[in-house]
Amino acid sequence: MRTFLLACALFLLGGCVTSQSQPRLPFNAWYVGLLAPNYMEVWVESVDVIDRRGLAYEQVHSGIVAIQSPSNNSGNPRGWPKRVGSGAGKNLPGIDLPEIIFVRWQSLVEPQTYNVRINIPEWVREKMLEQHSSYCQADKRVIDGLYRHDITIGLAPGGIAKAWVGGPCLEPIEIGRFEAAISKVGPYGGTSNGKHRPLSGKAKAYIEQHGVPYDAW
């Protein structure tokens, strides 16, 4: 969390502030979601955000990510989906559009704990505020008033992260690929004697047979 706290100080000149007026957005909240390649299980310890007002929000989300682990090792973990979904996450009401997102996560197949800083460029925030009309397959009609209010982050072994901005019925746009640093304190902030969460049986079976394709992301 050293990087996060330093960023708080730089942005706020005196600490992390989380109580301010509601941001003026054309939607109620933007969404942060996370996913991982097939079988490459992840546990997110913390998602922290600094918004465009310079306000810092710690631990806005944690837990599981969106992942598929088909039986009989029939899934393919290499690469990312051609069209990523929103991922597993939550809406963030009261938080303005993101300037920086920090993610600390456990990559369970290695196992290793990583910290990554994802800088959100201005063009992404501009895309999030653009209103669209688009045909939605689920509704079988054109829907008006659509926004790319989702930030989706993919987490992979080796500390690789990839981010997209997207929304319902709209094509996601890639933000960038990011390389994380290994956490010096280890899992759970150093409180678990180096022990990570266990792998599921399906993920363990896949890794034992095929290994981890580190060059795939």
Side-chain angles (χ1 to χ4, degrees), residues 83 86 132 134-136 139 143 145-150 166-171:
R83 179 168 180 164
S86 298
H132 299 272
S134 180
Y135 181 81
C136 287
D139 297 279
I143 304 293
L146 298 174
Y147 291 90
R148 287 186 173 91
H149 49 50
D150 300 346
C169 309
L170 298 172
E171 287 290 332

Side-chain angles (χ1 to χ4, degrees), residues 7-187:
C8 289
L10 292 175
F11 272 76
L12 305 173
L13 301 178
C16 296
V17 178
T18 58
S19 59
Q20 285 287 335
S21 60
Q22 287 289 105
R24 295 183 178 180
L25 299 174
F27 36 80
N28 292 330
W30 62 277
Y31 179 92
V32 63
L34 302 109
L35 56 84
N38 290 3
Y39 307 106
M40 304 294 115
E41 291 179 344
V42 161
W43 177 260
V44 175
E45 293 191 357
S46 178
V47 177
D48 310 311
V49 174
I50 296 177
D51 73 11
R52 64 178 175 176
R53 300 172 296 183
L55 302 182
Y57 299 83
E58 189 173 1
Q59 197 84 27
V60 299
H61 180 61
S62 61
I64 61 173
V65 305
I67 188 172
Q68 296 183 27
S69 298
S71 301
N72 303 318
N73 294 341
S74 58
N76 181 9
R78 302 187 69 87
W80 302 101
K82 291 183 178 180
R83 179 168 180 164
V84 297
S86 298
K90 65 187 299 185
N91 288 313
L92 302 178
I95 302 179
D96 212 333
L97 300 183
E99 183 89 21
I100 306 173
I101 300 175
F102 300 90
V103 185
R104 184 176 69 252
W105 83 94
Q106 296 180 27
S107 174
L108 306 183
V109 300
E110 302 180 68
Q112 188 62 268
T113 305
Y114 294 103
N115 295 305
V116 70
R117 169 179 171 150
I118 298 173
N119 294 325
I120 305 298
E122 179 62 28
W123 69 261
V124 174
R125 290 184 289 278
E126 291 173 356
K127 289 292 183 184
M128 296 176 80
L129 295 175
E130 291 178 0
Q131 186 179 112
H132 299 272
S133 296
S134 180
Y135 181 81
C136 287
Q137 186 65 38
D139 297 279
K140 305 297 184 184
R141 63 186 179 93
V142 173
I143 304 293
D144 298 322
L146 298 174
Y147 291 90
R148 287 186 173 91
H149 49 50
D150 300 346
I151 299 291
T152 302
I153 302 170
L155 303 172
I160 300 302
K162 204 165 192 178
W164 299 263
V165 58
C169 309
L170 298 172
E171 287 290 332
I173 302 172
E174 182 179 321
I175 298 172
R177 181 180 183 272
F178 305 85
E179 295 186 13
I182 294 174
S183 171
K184 294 181 179 179
V185 298

